Amino acid sequence: MDDREKDRNEERDRGNEASEETAVLDAEKEKHEAGTSDREADHKDDEYEKICYVCRRPESKAGPMITMPGGMNFCHDCMQKAFDTVTQSGLDLSQLQNMPYMNMNLSDFSNLQNLNTEIPKKNKVKKKSQDKEAKKEFSIKDIPAPHVIKSKLDQYVIGQEQAKKVIAVAVYNHYKRAFCQTSGQEGAEDDVQIEKSNILMIGPTGSGKTYLVKTLARLLDVPLAIADATTLTEAGYIGDDIESVISKLLAAADNDVERAEKGIIFIDEIDKIAKKKNTTSRDVSGESVQQELLKLLEGSQVEVPVGSNQKNALTPMTTVDTNNILFICGGAFPDLENIIKERLNQSSSMGFASELKGKYDEDPKLLSYTAEDLRKFGMIPEFLGRLPIMVTLQALTKDLMIRILTEPKNAILRQYEKLLAMDEVKLVFEDDALEWIAEEALKKETGARALRAIIENFMQDIMYEIPKDPNIGSVVITRAYLEKSGGPMIEMRG
């Protein structure tokens, strides 16, 4: 019995030793995994730059950051401005610990540890790879010719040949001007300085003004900002200041002032800042905005905030020269046709030399007579003088509507064909159906925007019913279905 008890005790001791060894190994494994995860987290954090809590600039733009409790980072500029503001205001720094700062009480640092959470990736800025090759120096050989720019625009924009030619030539000259400024060739021989020619685009709603410039932004490697004139107001009033237009371009150029100074700005809805008629209140979003835009269009030194649209004591400022920035303004100018008709119908309405009042109602080139009518519309002469190139976009016809449906690379019908192709269903539109859609779009008088509204209406049922039956192979949209006198032609697989 003693031998058996002795053996049992020895086995129990060996089991305890094995369990202790296993516990030690598990602890070492957990420690190693924790260290590995920490290293992986640190490595992931190393991929992103620190961003200033105030001006939102990354470390590559603002320089080394000062990290505060809670994981907040401040650049040296914002930190210095914060200290200057505090010292100049005569505050007692000894009482600062009892004051809430940025919605926190800095006297309690224990709560700041809870703020050290992971920052969402959308608010992080990845560090630029140092292994990337330096960009090829800009040369005159890299300038796309006007016909190349127009051919690219033709793939997305149907019609408006004159507008595409004008924009292509303007951008081409803008590139050459930027090259001359960069290489120092301007003024080397005959002291001829190339000046920019700003553009004013006039056309009815839905004719493709904004879409033309957005397409241009995708095709060209030049900073381009699209601003809305409806939000602009005179300095000191609620709304965006004029400098916010330059701030958008600076943001599009990644806060690179040199690139921004050779960019393009498109100001949409420019007709909304016309002089208000018969108003007794101060016109803070009309003529005053036109007058403040004069300095930008002509060229001047403008101070704009970096990384923000708002000016305050903590936001760093930079100076941008607008002499080399190309401005493109666009607007629908509603009721401008009536002003033109009024001028053209000034002759006698009776007798042998009379002219019919409705003579110019169906004139597709009516807006081409706008050289002297914009002033009567409400645009001041000084503003129009700084937009020497005026181009008119024609209203869309039935044939252009049908081409817009099918020809562009991202045509509306191609988008629906791709959506149904994901369900392995072929979508076909008959010619009669395309004509019906174009006719209905013309009735709405909203241009190309009406096409999507019409197609969305009758495609809802098809997009809802087709996925129910996996045996459907193709769907043909007929005019009878659109007129609600029949249904689409459905073919089954096999």
Side-chain angles (χ1 to χ4, degrees), residues 17 35 132 146 150 203 210 216 257 265 324 335 383 393 448 461 494:
E17 291 176 358
K132 289 185 178 180
K150 183 181 177 299
T210 307
L216 187 70
V257 177
I265 293 179
N324 299 328
D335 299 330
F383 184 80
L393 280 74
D461 293 337

Side-chain angles (χ1 to χ4, degrees), residues 407-418:
E407 291 186 14
K409 277 191 173 182
N410 57 343
I412 305 173
L413 299 189
R414 291 188 181 184
Q415 297 176 26
Y416 277 98
E417 289 173 0
K418 185 176 181 179

Side-chain angles (χ1 to χ4, degrees), residues 207-227:
S207 58
K209 299 182 297 296
T210 307
Y211 185 69
L212 194 62
V213 179
K214 286 184 177 180
T215 305
L216 187 70
R218 294 198 305 267
L219 299 178
L220 298 178
D221 186 19
V222 60
L224 189 145
I226 299 178

Side-chain angles (χ1 to χ4, degrees), residues 6-59:
K6 186 177 181 181
D7 293 338
R8 283 197 298 271
N9 293 333
E10 290 178 356
E11 290 179 0
R12 187 167 56 251
D13 294 339
R14 286 195 298 269
N16 293 334
E17 291 176 358
S19 60
E20 290 177 358
E21 291 178 359
T22 303
V24 171
L25 291 175
D26 292 341
E28 291 180 354
K29 184 178 180 181
E30 291 178 358
K31 185 177 180 180
H32 177 71
E33 291 177 353
T36 304
S37 61
D38 290 341
R39 286 193 297 272
E40 290 177 354
D42 294 338
H43 178 68
K44 289 181 179 179
D45 290 339
D46 290 340
E47 295 179 358
Y48 296 95
E49 296 186 59
K50 296 178 180 179
I51 300 178
C52 178
Y53 185 81
V54 178
C55 66
R56 310 306 300 167
R57 290 187 298 170
E59 199 169 12

Side-chain angles (χ1 to χ4, degrees), residues 142-162:
D142 301 326
I143 302 175
H147 70 278
V148 176
I149 299 175
K150 183 181 177 299
S151 63
K152 292 181 179 180
L153 292 176
D154 288 337
Q155 299 176 4
Y156 295 91
V157 182
I158 301 300
Q160 314 301 351
E161 299 298 322
Q162 183 63 23

Side-chain angles (χ1 to χ4, degrees), residues 246-259:
I246 308 298
S247 297
K248 290 182 180 181
L249 180 63
L250 191 62
D254 296 328
N255 293 329
D256 189 343
V257 177
E258 292 184 0
R259 286 193 67 213

